Amino acid sequence: MKQSTFNPEQQRTDISSKIVAGLERLSEVFKIMLWEKAKLVGLSPIQIQILVFIAFHKRNLCNISHLAKEFNVTKPTISDAVRVLDNKGFIIKDYSSSDNRSYTILLSDLGHEMVSKIDDFSNPLKTQIDGFSKPELQSLFATLSQLIYKLNQNGILTVQRTCFGCKFYEINDEKNYCNLLRKELLSEHIRIDCPEYEEKPVAGTI
Ligand code: SF4
């Protein structure tokens, strides 16, 4: 038998292979949901992702460089998408930062209106997830948050904002603890996209 995660024979006896194959299926779900919404509103999937991202994140993350990292595409790809969004009046470029060659991308009033039409693009998935029991959701989330952190540590996921990689996180008496909020974090309180996240310094750099 040819060894491969995608060989159904291997998946018969190896649950990790089945999980990877399952995650590949799930990655298709986002493409499908984004395309469905894109067709309705006349934007591309990446344009939708950019608008939704800037609606819910701090200004310091809303620039070409960060968006390229966030969505794992090139800066020219983001610049092209931003140019179209600008031409359609959905965003405003703010050049007021100290580096006047770069700009922060802000939503215009029209952009806010558009976001209210598109930020539900993932509802078909959310509806299915809502159907799981609380213990199932807690178990799924615990595994998911650890997997995201490990993929980031391996350099596969360039961006993550989970507690496990945050400088304010520590394990205190075998419990998750946030030094910023000064409270214990139950597994379900671990953040996956925390606005207060600050990257933990790599050991030996301080
Ligand atoms: S600041 Fe946010 S990401 Fe960091 S440990 Fe606290 S809750 Fe987690």
Side-chain angles (χ1 to χ4, degrees):
M1 175 184 89
K2 168 109 173 58
Q3 295 283 312
S4 167
T5 302
F6 296 101
N7 185 334
E9 267 308 298
Q10 178 169 315
Q11 289 171 14
R12 208 165 50 80
T13 53
D14 177 29
I15 192 162
S16 297
S17 294
K18 266 196 289 211
I19 290 170
V20 173
L23 288 173
E24 195 216 11
R25 287 281 89 207
L26 285 180
S27 73
E28 295 298 321
V29 172
F30 274 87
K31 285 192 217 159
I32 294 163
M33 292 185 301
L34 276 165
W35 271 116
E36 287 301 320
K37 190 58 87 173
K39 279 186 282 180
L40 279 180
V41 297
L43 294 174
S44 71
I46 189 70
Q47 289 160 8
I48 290 178
Q49 287 175 294
I50 291 171
L51 288 179
V52 173
F53 183 87
I54 60 179
F56 298 111
H57 290 85
K58 286 184 177 171
R59 292 175 61 110
N60 65 326
L61 299 179
C62 299
N63 54 62
I64 300 287
S65 299
H66 182 80
L67 290 168
K69 267 203 243 165
E70 185 77 31
F71 297 114
N72 296 292
V73 294
T74 63
K75 288 188 202 175
T77 300
I78 296 291
S79 297
D80 286 348
V82 166
R83 189 168 43 248
V84 175
L85 292 172
D86 193 21
N87 289 342
K88 292 189 172 182
F90 294 131
I91 57 127
I92 298 161
K93 294 177 180 175
D94 176 5
Y95 285 91
S96 63
S97 74
S98 51
D99 176 3
N100 61 10
R101 287 164 307 169
S102 66
Y103 53 86
T104 303
I105 304 159
L106 308 173
L107 284 181
S108 64
D109 289 345
L110 205 56
H112 282 287
E113 251 177 62
M114 178 52 85
V115 167
S116 68
K117 291 182 195 156
I118 57 178
D119 66 356
D120 62 350
F121 79 88
S122 62
N123 275 8
L125 177 59
K126 171 81 166 56
T127 304
Q128 295 307 315
I129 292 176
D130 282 342
F132 286 99
S133 68
K134 191 158 185 214
E136 284 171 330
L137 291 176
Q138 286 167 331
S139 160
L140 179 60
F141 180 68
T143 309
L144 201 61
S145 54
Q146 286 286 351
L147 180 60
I148 289 171
Y149 177 60
K150 285 184 182 179
L151 289 170
N152 173 256
Q153 293 300 289
N154 280 345
I156 296 168
L157 256 185
T158 48
V159 176
Q160 58 97 33
R161 289 178 285 275
T162 71
C163 296
F164 302 127
C166 176
K167 76 174 192 182
F168 299 115
Y169 171 83
E170 68 176 12
I171 297 178
N172 201 335
D173 270 344
E174 300 188 355
K175 292 173 182 153
N176 302 305
Y177 189 82
C178 172
N179 282 309
L180 184 73
L181 304 175
R182 297 196 180 156
K183 67 172 201 182
E184 183 192 334
L185 302 167
L186 300 176
S187 294
E188 67 196 84
H189 296 152
I190 293 289
R191 302 288 300 258
I192 215 156
D193 186 7
C194 176
E196 314 307 331
Y197 169 88
E198 285 190 34
E199 194 171 351
K200 197 186 304 187
V202 179
T205 59
I206 50 171

